C-alpha cells in the first residue's frame, strides 16, 4: 500500500481540525508495522483510512494497485472485505452469538452457504486454539479468548492485511503476549500486519515502527521506540 500526502480534517461547526497533515507511507506485502504516538495524534484516524473505513480529505492512497479515490462506496466495501481483517481493543463481538457464530458473520455478509461457513469458522477457531470454546457466548470467555475469537473473525475471509488498533490494550501482559505471538505467526505465514500500540514491548513484536505526532510521521525505524 502506498499513501502520499494524506490529510484528514474534521469539521465542527465553523471550526476545522486538521488531524493528519500529510502522511507519506509505503507498506510492502508481508511487513509487520507498529504505529505509535501520543493520544490524539491521529493513529486511529490513519488506521481508518488505511482500512477503507474513512476517506482522506486530500492525498492519494493506492491499495493493491487500485487508487482508492477512484472507487465507489460499493467497490470500497468489496475491496475492504476481500483484503482487510480488523482487530480492535474492545473485541466488538456480538454478545448474543456464540464464538462460532461471531466468526461466521463476515461469511454471512459474503453470502456463503451455512455448511461451508460453519466449517470455515470451526477451522479458524481451531487455528486460534479455541475448538473447545466455540459454542460459548463472549460473556463466558476470558479477555484473551475473546480477542482470539476476534482474530479468527478477522481471518476467516482470508484477508491479506490485518489491522489491529491496540489489540492488547484490554489484556494483561501474559495474555497480551499470547495474542502477539499469534499475530507474529500470522505475519510469518505472509499476512501484512499494521498495529497501533502505546506499549514499547508490544511494538517490539513488529519489525518496523513509525511514530505519529500531531498528525505527522516523525520517526520510521526498526529500533525500539519509547513514547513519553
Ligand atoms: N469523527 C471525528 N470528528 C471529529 N474529530 C475527530 C473525529 N475522529 C477523531 N477526531 C479527533 O482527531 C484527533 C485524533 O484522533 P485519533 O482517534 O486518530 O487519535 P489516536 O492517536 O488514535 O489517539 P488514542 O491513542 O487516544 O487512541 C483527536 O483530537 C480526535 O478528537
Ligand atoms: Mg486511537
Amino acid at each position: 500500500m502506498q499513501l502520499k500526502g494524506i490529510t484528514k480534517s474534521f469539521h465542527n461547526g465553523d471550526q476545522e481540525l486538521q488531524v493528519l497533515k500529510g502522511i507519506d507511507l509505503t507498506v510492502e506485502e508481508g511487513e509487520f508495522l507498529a504505529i505509535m504516538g501520543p493520544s490524539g495524534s491521529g493513529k486511529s484516524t490513519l488506521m481508518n483510512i488505511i482500512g477503507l473505513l474513512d476517506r482522506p480529505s486530500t492525498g492519494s492512497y493506492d491499495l493493491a494497485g487500485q487508487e482508492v479515490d477512484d472507487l465507489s462506496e460499493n467497490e470500497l466495501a468489496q475491496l475492504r472485505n476481500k483484503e482487510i481483517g480488523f482487530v480492535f481493543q474492545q473485541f466488538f463481538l456480538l454478545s448474543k452469538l456464540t464464538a462460532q457464530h461471531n466468526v461466521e458473520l463476515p461469511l454471512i455478509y459474503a453470502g456463503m452457504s451455512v455448511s461451508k461457513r460453519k466449517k470455515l469458522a470451526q477451522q479458524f477457531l481451531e487455528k486460534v486454539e479455541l475448538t473447545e470454546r466455540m459454542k460459548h457466548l463472549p460473556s463466558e470467555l476470558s479477555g484473551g479468548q475473546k480477542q482470539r475469537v476476534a482474530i479468527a473473525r478477522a481471518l476467516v475471509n482470508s484477508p491479506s492485511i490485518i489491522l489491529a488498533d491496540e489489540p492488547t490494550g484490554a489484556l494483561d501482559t501474559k495474555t497480551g503476549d499470547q495474542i502477539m505471538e499469534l499475530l507474529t505467526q500470522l505475519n510469518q505465514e505472509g499476512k501484512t500486519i499494521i498495529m497501533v500500540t502505546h506499549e514499547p514491548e508490544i511494538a517490539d513484536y513488529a519489525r518496523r515502527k513509525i511514530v505519529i505526532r500531531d498528525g505527522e510521521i516523525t520517526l520510521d525505524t526498526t529500533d525500539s521506540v519509547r513514547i513519553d
Side-chain angles (χ1 to χ4, degrees), residues 43-44 165-166 196:
K43 304 180 298 295
S44 294
D165 199 344
E166 301 195 47
V196 170

Side-chain angles (χ1 to χ4, degrees), residues 8 11 17 28 32 62-63 68 73 97 106 114 116 119 124 157 165-166 190 195 220:
K8 180 72 183 177
H11 299 271
L17 178 68
E28 305 292 342
F32 192 163
D62 181 313
L63 176 63
V68 164
E73 290 304 314
L97 297 184
V114 178
K116 259 183 154 174
K119 201 168 152 219
F124 279 93
N157 267 346
D165 199 344
E166 301 195 47
M195 160 185 79
D220 188 337

Side-chain angles (χ1 to χ4, degrees), residues 117-159:
R117 69 186 191 230
K118 183 176 169 188
K119 201 168 152 219
L120 264 183
Q122 292 183 351
Q123 186 186 320
F124 279 93
L125 282 162
E126 189 181 323
K127 188 172 175 61
V128 299
E129 294 174 24
L130 276 181
T131 305
E132 340 69 86
R133 308 298 286 173
M134 66 189 181
K135 304 291 184 199
H136 289 261
L137 296 172
S139 59
E140 299 162 341
L141 301 173
S142 70
Q145 288 172 336
K146 278 189 263 215
Q147 194 59 298
R148 282 188 277 149
V149 174
I151 290 173
R153 181 186 55 189
L155 290 172
V156 76
N157 267 346
S158 299

Side-chain angles (χ1 to χ4, degrees), residues 98-109:
T98 62
Q100 182 195 313
H101 286 134
N102 267 286
V103 176
E104 281 184 41
L105 274 181
L107 304 174
I108 295 177
Y109 300 142

Side-chain angles (χ1 to χ4, degrees), residues 48-89:
N48 288 343
I49 289 171
I50 291 174
L52 310 176
L53 293 169
D54 204 356
R55 288 180 186 268
S57 301
T58 64
S60 81
Y61 176 18
D62 181 313
L63 176 63
Q66 301 205 66
E67 174 53 51
V68 164
D69 201 33
D70 297 339
L71 303 178
S72 67
E73 290 304 314
N74 234 332
E75 291 168 325
L76 270 189
Q78 275 180 28
L79 186 60
R80 183 168 62 229
N81 290 341
K82 180 164 163 272
E83 299 288 352
I84 301 171
F86 294 92
V87 179
F88 299 95
Q89 178 175 8

